[in-house]
Amino acid sequence: MAASTSFLGRFTHDARAALDPDLWAPAPPVTDRGGWSRVGDADGEALLAAADAWRDAAAAQAPTLSLWAHYAETGERVPYETAQRALLNETASATFAWGVTGHGAAWAPRLADAVWRLCELTAWCLPSHYALPGTGERPPLPVPGRDVLDLSCGYVGGMLAAIDRVAGDALDAAFPGIRARVRHEIRRRVLDTWNRDAYVWAEGENGRPPNNWAPWIVSNVLACTMAVENDRAAIESTVERALVILDRFRAGYADDGSCEEGATYWWWAGATLFEALEVVERVTGGAYDGCAVPPVAEMSRFPQAMQIDADSQVNFSDGSPAHPPNAVWHLLARFGERVGDGEVVRHARWMGRAHPLRFDGQLAPLFLRILAALRDPGWEEAGPSEPGMPASWYAPGTEVAVARERAHDAAGLAVAVKGGHNDVSHNHNDAGGPIVSLDGHPVLIDVGVGVYVRDTFLPETRYSIWTMRSAWHSVPLPGGVEQRHGSEFRATGTAFADDGSVASLRMDLTAAYPAEAGLASITRAVALDRRAGEVRIDDAWRFAGEGVMRLVLMTADEPRPVTGGLAVGPALVAFDDGLGGATARIDTARIDIERIDIERIDIDPADTRLARAWGAAVHRTILTAPVGAEGSARVVVRRA
């Protein structure tokens, strides 16, 4: 590939000659008080409180053998991951606190103890990811000497590599020998496995490019290499292999830069790609420029296109509609600055003002992002801010369209709809599914995904989970039959248009359903009519013989028949969804509704993902048409 069009091609002779791992310095040493002097008072206070809370949480529950075995016995991921996260967050927050306060006498012992416990863990990998490379075998407990380089192993190593650069000298002065132990463990668990084993996450699977695991792990391998490796040839070899993997990952993106894994996963996909490229740029003194390779710049624009308002986002695939806890908007601002996109920077500032830096999430995988933001207080006030949501945006690569009444404005109606196919990364069977909001409040929803368990990622069980199935998305159910999983089950002929007054996405959904649906054809068009102030969902179908069409509408609150009945006018049946004054109307001139069923779906409070997004319940309305050979329907959403 030409140098201008691949990450590897831009790793030129000059870039290789400039390689200097000592240039990788994520922050000044904790003893450099001038380098840490700009941390804001509010961030410092919140950080110190969080550090104490994470110390107590880590003391209360350690990542034990019994918790590891619990996953093998039950498939429940949360117990071990919660305990491991507490230890990781204690480690991260103690590092930040030492830098902020400069009180080595207080923080060195706390950090050293946490680091030592990490070094003593049998595995840095998560139980749910512990599959031996090559065979795929899943032993119930870690095999001695067989570390597995998964996401967790990568970001534990990456965090410790950053700690080595920021606090390594001071920590070793207080506890001589601890630095050698840390570097030994980074080499043994991360770099040796990187050099020894071949992983599906690096190669891709079944002909598909790698997903977010590739840039996420590669970014941390690069950090570990810069901190630990002394052999120049080995460093160059690692950078070269890393860029090959990143090129494979990039091959999964169209020119529009859209992320098929969704808005939540962008922060582990496009964002970690930027972090990986940034490491290589730094250690070459700027001689390497991966951000010039398409579609990196376009990737930076994805979060603002997916934003509904400051607290919610479009959430196809395994995303959450709620503001993603893994988002650090300072990183997006840096990304926008690096690719020269002022609109991205302004949007990041707008979001940063709404969501100050927090220390209650996943601090280890976010370590470098938080470290940079912590030392740059007031970044969100350093220039103009503006919500970057466009009036409309369409990504042909993923066939996702988003439209709103006005650009850069969270008020009014907004709609998102996807065509595409049912074999994307983190897939749900949802071709043709719309999301509609009014003034940022959800009207028609995509439920998203619950807390991950073993069954979430087993092909034989994933689509037994209701949140993955088309019967619980706002799509047609011809003959009661659901869409299937696979790239052959897809929308075809998808076309987007926006003339300023009406934005629409049209598609043929016939191929999304198996033969037993009995379809001859079914088409869907979703349009935002800005002049009329409404979203229209139009379906037209024809069965091979006769059949029954059912249409699903998913809402957060329970739909209520208005004025105590179904018939509001001669041609309308209306439901008030109780959210922001929106009304969903079914045009009975186009569909004879024989039956309307409204179902409450209770959410288990223990499912923190769904409960955080929707509270106690969501609702499903099923509209059933009479038996017939063909038909059409129109659902109209507008302000009441």
Side-chain angles (χ1 to χ4, degrees):
M1 299 176 75
S4 62
T5 58
S6 77
F7 296 135
L8 181 61
R10 298 191 72 87
F11 193 41
T12 61
H13 173 77
D14 289 345
R16 293 169 189 265
L19 265 179
D20 181 358
D22 289 339
L23 293 175
W24 185 66
V30 291
T31 52
D32 180 352
R33 301 320 306 150
W36 283 86
S37 62
R38 296 186 62 242
V39 175
D41 291 341
D43 283 341
E45 292 173 5
L47 169 61
L48 295 179
D52 287 342
W54 286 121
R55 174 199 59 197
D56 295 342
Q61 180 63 75
T64 59
L65 166 67
S66 61
L67 290 181
W68 182 288
H70 179 79
Y71 171 77
E73 294 165 1
T74 68
E76 293 179 354
R77 298 169 49 142
V78 171
Y80 184 89
E81 293 181 17
T82 299
Q84 190 218 47
R85 181 177 298 180
L87 175 56
L88 293 175
N89 285 2
E90 180 189 20
T91 309
S93 59
T95 307
F96 299 144
W98 190 352
V100 168
T101 66
H103 297 158
W107 291 103
R110 286 176 60 169
L111 177 58
D113 282 344
V115 165
W116 190 260
R117 276 179 282 149
L118 280 176
C119 290
E120 289 291 304
L121 282 181
T122 300
W124 288 351
C125 177
L126 294 176
S128 56
H129 297 164
Y130 192 75
L132 299 181
T135 66
E137 179 187 358
R138 290 182 172 271
L141 296 178
V143 177
R146 293 302 306 272
D147 291 285
V148 171
L149 182 51
D150 75 326
L151 296 174
S152 175
C153 185
Y155 59 66
V156 173
M159 179 181 70
L160 289 176
I163 290 172
D164 181 79
R165 281 293 163 92
V166 173
D169 286 338
L171 202 59
D172 211 50
F175 298 91
I178 192 170
R179 188 175 218 175
R181 175 67 189 280
V182 169
R183 291 183 171 187
H184 169 77
E185 296 298 339
I186 291 173
R187 182 177 294 279
R188 176 172 73 89
R189 299 172 190 262
V190 178
L191 299 185
D192 287 352
T193 57
W194 161 265
N195 290 319
R196 180 186 65 229
D197 296 324
Y199 288 95
V200 169
W201 59 257
E203 304 291 334
E205 189 172 18
N206 298 325
R208 290 176 52 79
N211 68 0
N212 68 86
W213 280 49
W216 193 350
I217 294 175
V218 161
S219 66
N220 285 299
V221 167
L222 289 170
C224 291
T225 300
M226 302 313 154
V228 170
E229 187 58 73
N230 297 314
D231 183 89
R232 182 177 180 82
I235 294 171
E236 185 174 330
S237 175
T238 289
V239 173
E240 184 171 296
R241 183 183 171 199
L243 296 177
V244 168
I245 294 170
L246 295 180
D247 272 323
R248 291 189 193 124
F249 169 75
R250 182 180 57 85
Y253 281 71
D255 292 343
D256 53 57
S258 60
C259 178
E260 71 173 24
E261 298 177 82
T264 298
Y265 271 96
W266 182 90
W267 292 94
W268 301 134
T272 58
L273 173 66
F274 171 66
E275 289 176 305
L277 297 175
E278 192 176 47
V279 171
V280 183
E281 183 172 340
R282 286 184 179 180
V283 299
T284 58
Y288 180 81
D289 179 11
C291 289
V293 176
V296 174
E298 289 74 14
M299 288 180 181
S300 73
R301 303 181 187 115
F302 185 75
Q304 68 189 45
M306 293 294 101
Q307 210 73 40
I308 293 175
D309 68 0
D311 296 310
S312 61
Q313 62 182 2
V314 174
N315 67 303
F316 295 122
S317 302
D318 271 359
S320 169
H323 172 258
N326 59 338
V328 177
W329 295 98
H330 181 268
L331 176 137
L332 184 64
R334 289 194 290 114
F335 197 166
E337 288 172 356
R338 181 62 188 80
V339 300
D341 195 320
E343 188 174 82
V344 171
V345 176
R346 291 191 295 275
H347 179 76
R349 290 194 189 114
W350 179 69
M351 288 297 294
R353 291 178 183 182
H355 299 282
L357 195 59
R358 295 171 57 176
F359 306 98
D360 58 352
Q362 302 181 62
L363 303 188
L366 301 175
F367 189 85
L368 292 177
R369 302 178 194 183
I370 294 174
L371 193 59
L374 187 64
R375 297 181 50 258
D376 190 15
W379 67 271
E380 63 271 53
E381 306 292 342
S385 70
E386 179 186 39
M389 298 89 75
S392 66
W393 179 85
Y394 178 60
T398 53
E399 296 188 359
V400 171
V402 183
R404 55 195 323 118
E405 290 194 59
R406 294 171 294 279
H408 314 300
D409 191 348
L413 282 164
V415 61
V417 61
K418 69 183 294 290
H421 61 82
N422 286 337
D423 194 30
V424 300
S425 183
H426 297 277
N427 180 71
H428 293 200
N429 290 340
D430 60 352
I435 296 170
V436 180
S437 68
L438 176 61
D439 300 333
H441 299 289
V443 181
L444 298 182
I445 68 171
D446 185 300
V447 175
V449 68
V451 167
Y452 285 159
V453 294
R454 179 165 48 207
D455 286 350
T456 309
F457 294 104
L458 293 179
E460 63 270 24
T461 56
R462 180 174 177 88
Y463 297 98
S464 66
I465 301 171
W466 67 275
T467 57
M468 313 294 179
R469 295 171 52 182
S470 58
W472 283 270
H473 287 81
S474 297
V475 300
L477 297 178
V481 175
E482 298 183 51
Q483 297 178 14
R484 296 290 189 266
H485 164 245
S487 59
E488 69 273 28
F489 297 103
R490 62 185 308 130
T492 58
T494 307
F496 176 75
D498 187 355
D499 63 6
S501 296
V502 179
S504 65
L505 189 71
R506 300 175 180 275
M507 68 199 78
D508 187 323
L509 291 176
T510 311
Y513 296 89
E516 56 262 36
L519 280 172
S521 67
I522 182 168
T523 59
R524 167 164 281 193
V526 180
L528 169 65
D529 188 328
R530 298 183 179 97
R531 286 178 300 186
E534 63 187 25
V535 172
R536 296 188 294 268
I537 303 169
D538 285 300
D539 296 311
W541 62 87
R542 185 164 54 85
F543 287 103
E546 287 194 331
V548 175
M549 180 58 68
R550 296 182 176 91
L551 302 175
V552 177
L553 301 176
M554 295 297 300
T555 61
D557 283 1
E558 182 179 5
R560 300 185 302 272
V562 296
T563 65
L566 298 179
V568 177
L572 297 176
V573 177
F575 289 87
D576 175 5
D577 77 344
L579 291 170
T583 300
R585 303 181 301 160
I586 297 86
D587 188 340
T588 56
R590 293 173 177 262
I591 180 172
D592 182 8
I593 303 296
E594 183 173 87
R595 181 174 175 180
I596 299 175
D597 296 297
I598 300 174
E599 172 191 7
R600 174 187 169 98
I601 303 164
D602 290 320
I603 292 174
D604 184 349
D607 191 328
T608 52
R609 287 196 184 197
L610 291 181
R612 176 174 175 263
W614 306 117
V618 295
H619 296 82
R620 178 173 70 157
T621 298
I622 300 178
L623 312 173
T624 303
V627 174
E630 61 183 32
S632 64
R634 169 172 284 181
V635 175
V636 179
V637 177
R638 57 175 14 195
R639 194 183 298 274

